[in-house]
Amino acid sequence: MSNTPVYITIAGSDCSAGAGLQADLKAGFALGCYPLTAVTCVVNEIPGLVDGIVPMEADFVAAQLRLCLSSFPVKAIKTGMLYSPEIVRAVVAELKQFTGAVVVDPVMIATAGEALILQEAIAVYEQELIPHTTLLTPNLDELSRLCGCEPIRTFARMQEQATALCAKYGCAILAKGGHLEGTECIDLLVQPGGKQQSWSHPRTEGVSTHGTGCTLSSAITAYLAHGLPLEQAVEKGLTYVTNAIAHSHRLGHIDALNHHGR
Ligand code: PXL
């Protein structure tokens, strides 16, 4: 039997293949895993334009998850775009039996600003999904929505809110500071028990960042599926996505992350 680690990504399909489950598949395979997919919605989009979203029936999302979980040795699960309160609830019901690591990327808004979640689903994240989460990976926008605070623009505010969220839910928070003011991007990991670590790197200018959030959370999940401890998985995931951005290539007028890193 192969010992390739298996994980499940529960995510939407991005037809332009930069984000969503396509990003998850590319990162997962590039990092030596076998990612399975439970599809939540099909999004008709390119970077900068979301033209339409067709959600799956929530029961059918749960059915995909059940079949994958009962058929494969699943080491970790990642959630991306879940979209509706019904889908979030259906996912939570299946996660309750799962004992491995659960990485939740609380996808809310596309880079271009379009909503990728129904407003009513945010409360279900808070009340039902985050309590089953090992690592939550909000960007600044998602962090402020989950904390119900004003937009966050500084590292100090990001640290304060991530610490509060970690204390409230008892899960690790990786707050992504890609949208902080200044030329440095700082990402902060806050763990239950109080340990905090941050990583900073210069911003790569002029590259569209479509799909970087999905790629990061998937890379972290892949490293967790390999058995790495959380801190190492986060650090290596950040390196992976930074390389993918630095070596991105242009396809027509669209920047695509380079998952081969060269
Ligand atoms: O990057 C967030 C994201 C997640 N999932 C899907 C998406 C996007 C962004 O466009 O399309 C399916």
Side-chain angles (χ1 to χ4, degrees):
M1 198 175 68
S2 152
N3 55 10
T4 302
V6 176
Y7 71 88
I8 305 178
T9 166
I10 309 170
S13 165
D14 163 10
C15 65
S16 68
L21 67 86
Q22 288 83 355
D24 296 336
L25 288 175
K26 287 186 277 187
F29 283 118
L31 293 172
C33 288
Y34 190 86
L36 307 169
T37 55
V39 182
T40 59
C41 350
V42 176
V43 185
N44 187 29
E45 67 174 323
I46 54 170
L49 172 74
V50 175
D51 191 51
I53 297 172
V54 177
M56 301 296 296
E57 281 176 25
D59 284 349
F60 204 65
V61 176
Q64 296 171 72
L65 204 43
R66 262 197 310 278
L67 191 57
C68 285
L69 279 169
S70 61
S71 310
F72 293 87
V74 176
K75 293 283 194 304
I77 294 181
K78 177 217 142 149
T79 74
M81 178 179 176
L82 300 180
Y83 187 64
S84 70
E86 294 78 14
I87 295 176
V88 181
R89 280 200 189 97
V91 165
V92 172
E94 301 309 316
L95 283 184
K96 283 183 177 157
Q97 282 82 266
F98 184 69
T99 53
V102 176
V103 176
V104 170
D105 182 10
V107 172
M108 294 185 188
I109 303 171
T111 316
E114 294 92 344
L116 297 175
I117 190 169
L118 298 177
Q119 206 54 32
E120 317 84 83
I122 297 179
V124 190
Y125 260 82
E126 291 168 351
Q127 289 155 18
E128 300 182 34
L129 180 56
I130 302 181
H132 292 281
T133 299
T134 311
L135 175 69
L136 183 71
T137 64
N139 61 25
L140 291 184
D141 230 17
E142 291 153 356
L143 182 62
S144 62
R145 273 163 209 246
L146 290 170
C147 294
C149 68
E150 295 294 302
I152 298 167
R153 298 194 212 295
T154 63
F155 181 73
R157 287 281 296 148
M158 172 169 121
Q159 188 168 33
E160 192 181 293
Q161 296 302 327
T163 305
L165 207 59
C166 174
K168 181 166 177 194
Y169 293 107
C171 72
I173 311 287
L174 177 64
K176 299 177 289 188
H179 299 136
L180 284 175
E181 288 164 351
T183 51
E184 286 285 300
C185 301
I186 307 182
D187 301 301
L188 172 72
L189 176 65
V190 179
Q191 297 191 61
K195 186 160 184 197
Q196 302 204 353
Q197 286 157 281
S198 62
W199 294 267
S200 74
H201 53 90
R203 191 184 312 280
T204 307
E205 297 295 346
V207 174
S208 137
T209 52
H210 180 77
T212 48
C214 307
T215 298
L216 172 62
S217 52
S218 218
I220 295 171
T221 310
Y223 286 121
L224 290 172
H226 275 288
L228 290 190
L230 184 68
E231 290 166 25
Q232 269 181 47
V234 166
E235 183 161 306
K236 287 173 82 76
L238 287 167
T239 303
Y240 179 83
V241 76
T242 305
N243 278 332
I245 296 170
H247 298 98
S248 66
H249 41 213
R250 291 227 114 190
L251 303 171
H253 68 285
I254 292 175
D255 290 316
L257 292 177
N258 186 339
H259 290 265
H260 304 292
R262 62 190 130 77

